[in-house]
Amino acid sequence: MATRWGLCGAGKISHDFSVAMKTLPPGDHQIAVIASRSMERAKDFAKKHGIPKAYGSYEELANDPNVDIVYLGVLHTEHWRVGLLFLKAGKNVLCEKPFAMNSRQVKDLVAAAKKNNVFLMEAIWSRCFPVHAEVRRLLAEEAVGEVKLVKAYFGSSQLHIPRSVEKELGGGALLDIGVYCLQFVLMVFNGERPETIQATGVLLDSGVDESVVVVMKFSRKRMAFCTFSIAARLPNDAVISGTKGSIKVLGPMHCPTTLVVNDKETEYPLPEPCLPLNFTNSTGLRYEAEEVRQCLLKGLKESPRMPLADSVLLTEIMDEIRKQVGVVFSQDSQ
């Protein structure tokens, strides 16, 4: 049986997700429904992507019994409210990153998933890429000795994009792209909580973070260094330095196709898209879709590649970074 997907939100990421789906066997995955707050947008999207059903409200999707999992691709600020709607309706959910605006909201989502006994995963698609799987394998066999330092960079020019810069839309470098650097560090250090976090950054006039540098110290004298910015392009790579060598994930580190282990380079090519994409390497969204299918087939309620505990810790770290840098969202006081 194919896994029947319901898409929530008819924006750019849902478009790319739909295109990525076309690279997977139709007997395994099928987009059954698209739901938008605008029926017109939903219908246009359905026509463009060949989706049989369109809804003009999220509630209709929540009540549709013929959907196995909801892909939540709405604005950051809506993840908590809309996520709870689906979880309380007994729906499995793959929620785009960042999971929510702060750790309190994330814990609400996790609690709702557990209470309703449904699957929930934060869509950190990076974790499902073959490059990341190979990184985990190499670390497990200590291919570069003991890891001493992890560095991750992500910067792109996004100051012209409203959702990146406006506080009401959940803007800032941290929530949009910094999350990728931090999740990489947590993956390398197996979801361990850092002993110390030091962050400094500069804000836009809107009050969100433009560029941030984070240094984290972990047990056994291990460190991590992350830099992210929505004002400038960065190398966008990630490097793991160990006592016996290094592993380098070439940019774009959040959706990588090239891995360099002690100067030996390996390519992991992506399938070509059938329609133009909005974001880099988006056909790689196929990997997280397949990860979700495998979890559902096994009856799992969370993904071992991106466990809910990792998502909670990730958001707690982001809360602390925002506190140090001075970014406050209205959701923090609710």
Side-chain angles (χ1 to χ4, degrees):
M1 285 284 289
T3 299
R4 300 166 301 176
W5 292 82
L7 304 189
C8 176
K12 290 181 176 178
I13 193 67
S14 291
H15 166 91
D16 285 14
F17 191 80
S18 302
V19 175
M21 283 293 209
K22 299 249 188 341
T23 69
L24 291 164
D28 289 352
H29 296 270
Q30 161 190 8
I31 300 177
V33 188
I34 170 70
S36 169
R37 280 179 303 193
S38 151
M39 188 61 183
E40 198 181 339
R41 282 193 77 183
K43 279 183 169 165
D44 287 349
F45 193 100
K47 192 175 169 187
K48 188 174 188 177
H49 294 281
I51 299 167
K53 210 186 289 184
Y55 291 138
S57 76
Y58 301 155
E59 287 73 17
E60 287 170 283
L61 173 55
N63 295 322
D64 188 331
N66 301 311
V67 168
D68 299 312
I69 179 133
V70 172
Y71 172 72
L72 197 54
V74 295
L75 275 174
H76 301 170
T77 47
E78 294 288 290
H79 288 180
W80 175 72
R81 186 181 65 81
V82 182
L84 287 176
L85 167 76
F86 290 117
L87 294 168
K88 286 175 178 173
K91 285 278 180 281
N92 298 311
V93 174
L94 173 64
C95 176
E96 256 314 328
K97 44 55 66 181
F99 220 162
M101 296 300 290
N102 55 39
S103 58
R104 183 184 51 77
Q105 287 192 340
V106 168
K107 286 168 186 167
D108 284 350
L109 291 168
V110 171
K114 290 191 170 151
K115 186 180 176 188
N116 293 282
N117 195 33
V118 290
F119 175 88
L120 177 63
M121 178 184 180
E122 181 179 11
I124 304 281
W125 62 320
S126 320
R127 295 254 176 134
C128 304
F129 270 69
V131 166
H132 279 63
E134 181 61 9
V135 167
R136 283 194 300 273
R137 191 188 69 77
L138 290 164
L139 292 173
E141 60 181 43
E142 297 183 357
V144 292
E146 191 188 354
V147 174
K148 297 304 291 180
L149 183 67
V150 181
K151 289 185 293 187
Y153 304 89
F154 195 163
S156 76
S157 303
Q158 296 176 200
L159 296 181
H160 59 289
I161 304 171
R163 69 167 187 86
S164 295
V165 298
E166 289 176 24
K167 190 182 265 194
E168 293 68 38
L169 302 179
L174 175 65
L175 262 63
D176 194 26
I177 58 180
V179 59
Y180 286 121
C181 300
L182 299 169
Q183 74 77 24
F184 184 81
V185 170
L186 292 185
M187 182 185 81
V188 174
F189 291 140
N190 279 321
E192 187 181 311
R193 187 178 293 275
E195 291 177 347
T196 61
I197 301 166
Q198 285 171 299
T200 186
V202 289
L203 307 186
L204 294 170
D205 292 342
S206 62
V208 301
D209 52 301
E210 177 215 89
S211 303
V212 179
V213 177
V214 183
V215 180
M216 291 181 282
K217 206 186 293 182
F218 289 81
S219 65
R220 305 201 306 278
K221 298 186 172 66
R222 297 168 301 162
M223 294 186 74
F225 174 88
C226 300
T227 306
F228 35 93
S229 173
I230 49 170
R233 283 201 59 164
L234 291 174
N236 296 358
D237 57 6
V239 184
I240 303 166
S241 302
T243 50
K244 294 178 185 167
S246 69
I247 299 169
K248 187 172 189 176
V249 177
L250 295 193
M253 60 77 74
H254 69 299
C255 50
T257 55
T258 313
L259 186 64
V260 183
V261 183
N262 297 331
D263 302 324
K264 182 178 174 284
E265 193 170 298
T266 312
E267 289 282 341
Y268 298 80
L270 279 166
E272 287 299 310
C274 60
L275 286 171
L277 298 166
N278 295 301
F279 304 107
T280 309
N281 288 355
S282 279
T283 49
L285 289 163
R286 71 199 299 266
Y287 300 127
E288 76 178 0
E290 184 55 28
E291 166 67 8
V292 167
R293 173 172 166 79
Q294 292 308 319
C295 289
L296 294 179
L297 289 174
K298 290 172 190 157
L300 300 179
K301 300 303 173 191
E302 58 183 298
S303 161
R305 289 198 176 175
M306 189 62 203
L308 295 172
D310 271 28
S311 289
V312 170
L313 176 57
L314 183 57
T315 324
E316 286 175 343
I317 291 170
M318 295 205 292
D319 284 354
E320 177 58 28
I321 292 168
R322 284 200 294 117
K323 194 166 138 195
Q324 292 185 26
V325 175
V327 177
V328 182
F329 291 113
S330 59
Q331 288 84 355
D332 296 332
S333 54
Q334 282 167 10

